[in-house]
Amino acid sequence: MQFKTIKYCPQFSERFDSIEQAREFCVDFFGHYNHIHHHSGIALHTPASVHYGTDREIRAKRQATFNAAFEANPIRFRNRAPLAPQLPEVVCINQPHAEALAQSS
């Protein structure tokens, strides 16, 4: 997963001049990936916010913002309050087949 993610990063070099340069790139890349980039597969949270458990607080704040925007101008939302994205129950990189999940439970 990380290889494909790094490979398609525009700043990724085809060749690094040294191991130190490669390490510096990876520190910056993974810092951004884990703490700044909001992932669609985890309800637009960062992996760090999910890992450290701040995702529920962030979702509550997002929902409060949506509610305030809806109260200020309901016609903008077709008279239906928007909902902040929910985290999925399970997140997998390589999701197991249904049979394997059934056997493990």
Side-chain angles (χ1 to χ4, degrees):
M1 179 69 175
Q2 293 166 345
F3 294 116
K4 186 174 181 181
T5 303
I6 290 175
K7 181 180 171 184
Y8 292 107
C9 175
Q11 292 81 19
F12 185 70
S13 176
E14 279 192 38
R15 199 163 202 137
F16 292 104
D17 294 333
S18 65
I19 188 70
E20 291 80 18
Q21 185 186 22
R23 286 179 179 149
E24 183 180 331
F25 172 82
C26 287
V27 165
D28 292 342
F29 178 83
F30 287 113
H32 180 272
Y33 186 84
N34 289 324
H35 298 281
I36 297 170
H37 180 70
H38 294 247
H39 298 257
S40 60
I42 52 175
L44 300 175
H45 289 280
T46 64
S49 72
V50 174
H51 178 76
Y52 293 113
T54 59
D55 53 307
R56 290 179 185 4
E57 179 184 339
I58 292 168
R59 184 180 184 283
K61 288 180 181 178
R62 287 178 182 171
Q63 190 59 55
T65 301
F66 283 149
N67 293 344
F70 177 74
E71 288 175 21
N73 192 1
I75 195 87
R76 178 178 181 197
F77 301 97
R78 298 184 182 191
N79 294 314
R80 220 175 45 190
L83 296 174
Q86 296 249 4
L87 275 172
E89 291 293 320
V90 176
V91 177
C92 301
I93 292 174
N94 297 316
Q95 188 168 3
H97 295 288
E99 307 89 52
L101 288 173
Q103 291 174 358
S104 68
S105 55

